[in-house]
Amino acid sequence: MCDICVMNAVKDRMLSRRSFFTAGAAVAAGAALGTASAPPALAAGVGEVVDMTHIYDADFPTYFGQPGISADQTFNFKEHGFNLFNLAVNEHTGTHIDAPLHFSADGQSVDEIPVSNLVCPLCVVDIAAKAAEDADAQVTPDDLAAWISANGPIPDGACVAMHSGWGAKTNTPKFRNADGEGKMHFPGFHVEAAQMLMDETGAVAMAVDSLSLDHGPSADFATHYAWLPTNRYGIENLANLDKVPASGATLIVGAPAHRGGSGGPARIFAMV
């Protein structure tokens, strides 16, 4: 075989191997999440992975103020050679998903959320300065319009997340921020912002770094009732939104899959 033929054969083999490993990485990512195709954001590669999940225990704040998890160790390594805990968990504890079923009669349960909706372009709307002045601050249509002006259109399949700075308060009473009458004060999404996302974008998820999609004083849960029955889902108590960019990251949502669930604790991370 001539020299140039040998060189071309080697080059073709190298390109073939590169394609194999690239495809293998994509298949592995898809296998971990289900059978959905990976979005283009994953194919571009990432510089780092940011954990967006709070570690939670019985002391982690919950909406109703009661412990959200208990653990009974029925086997321990010293006596039995292995560790095993029985857990009792409120579905809406720690960093968790609100499935559409949470606020609707017949919406998708957490196991029915399409796996393709759990890999999302992440859009971070920063209202931390506003929330520092007013604990009852809300993401408004004006905030969304400002984000779009700065970053371009909200991508189809996106998760639009509120960064209010509330995630830094989880170990303090300021996270629930209840007043003398028991009413809580923390930021959330205004229902008009939810309506704008539904009418003008293809977003599939909404996330907050506080306890609820609705702001603390809400008595009617207008945002929950507007958003979830459309088979879009929510994420509450998201962590580390100050460590990801306003746009360009991909959110990976490790949703639980217990049949018929209204939500559940999730391991969530961002690929930046």
Side-chain angles (χ1 to χ4, degrees):
M1 182 180 291
C2 65
D3 291 345
I4 190 65
C5 295
V6 172
M7 292 173 64
N8 285 335
V10 170
K11 182 171 69 173
D12 289 344
R13 184 175 180 183
M14 290 176 66
L15 289 173
S16 177
R17 284 172 59 83
R18 183 180 301 171
S19 298
F20 171 81
F21 286 117
T22 301
V27 169
L33 295 166
T35 59
S37 298
L42 290 182
V46 296
E48 63 176 320
V49 178
V50 179
D51 195 346
M52 311 296 289
T53 315
H54 288 290
I55 296 173
Y56 67 99
D57 56 21
D59 294 325
F60 194 91
T62 61
Y63 188 86
F64 294 107
Q66 302 299 319
I69 182 171
S70 62
D72 176 29
Q73 186 168 12
T74 53
F75 296 91
N76 65 77
F77 191 84
K78 182 178 180 180
E79 294 181 56
H80 308 104
F82 64 97
N83 293 305
L84 186 148
F85 295 82
N86 284 325
L87 302 180
V89 184
N90 180 313
E91 290 178 310
H92 300 272
T93 298
T95 301
H96 68 272
I97 288 180
D98 280 6
L101 183 64
H102 186 36
F103 270 74
S104 63
D106 56 1
Q108 293 167 346
S109 56
V110 70
D111 57 299
E112 294 174 331
I113 297 173
V115 70
S116 57
N117 286 356
L118 300 175
V119 182
C120 310
L122 178 60
C123 305
V124 180
V125 181
D126 189 341
I127 65 163
K130 183 165 63 172
E133 298 293 328
D134 177 11
D136 297 331
Q138 299 181 76
V139 175
T140 66
D142 286 344
D143 294 314
L144 296 179
W147 189 96
I148 292 168
S149 178
N151 300 283
I154 291 171
D156 287 345
C159 174
V160 180
M162 174 194 79
H163 168 43
S164 69
W166 228 249
K169 304 177 188 287
T170 53
N171 293 324
T172 75
K174 286 293 185 181
F175 193 67
R176 295 183 77 250
N177 203 26
D179 60 25
E181 299 178 352
K183 181 180 291 186
M184 292 180 288
H185 299 274
F186 52 75
F189 273 85
H190 194 283
V191 66
E192 291 178 0
Q195 196 64 54
M196 178 177 171
L197 290 174
M198 291 187 289
D199 292 345
E200 301 180 21
T201 80
V204 299
M206 171 189 294
V208 295
D209 55 0
S210 59
L211 274 169
S212 175
L213 303 180
D214 288 274
H215 73 328
S218 174
D220 59 7
F221 298 102
T223 297
H224 277 84
Y225 278 116
W227 185 257
L228 296 178
T230 65
N231 277 338
R232 296 170 173 88
Y233 68 93
I235 301 170
E236 294 169 340
N237 301 326
L238 201 60
N240 293 326
L241 281 164
D242 58 331
K243 293 180 171 61
V244 295
S247 65
T250 299
L251 198 68
I252 311 296
V253 183
H258 54 293
R259 193 179 306 279
S262 73
R267 190 65 183 266
I268 300 175
F269 56 94
M271 303 173 71
V272 181

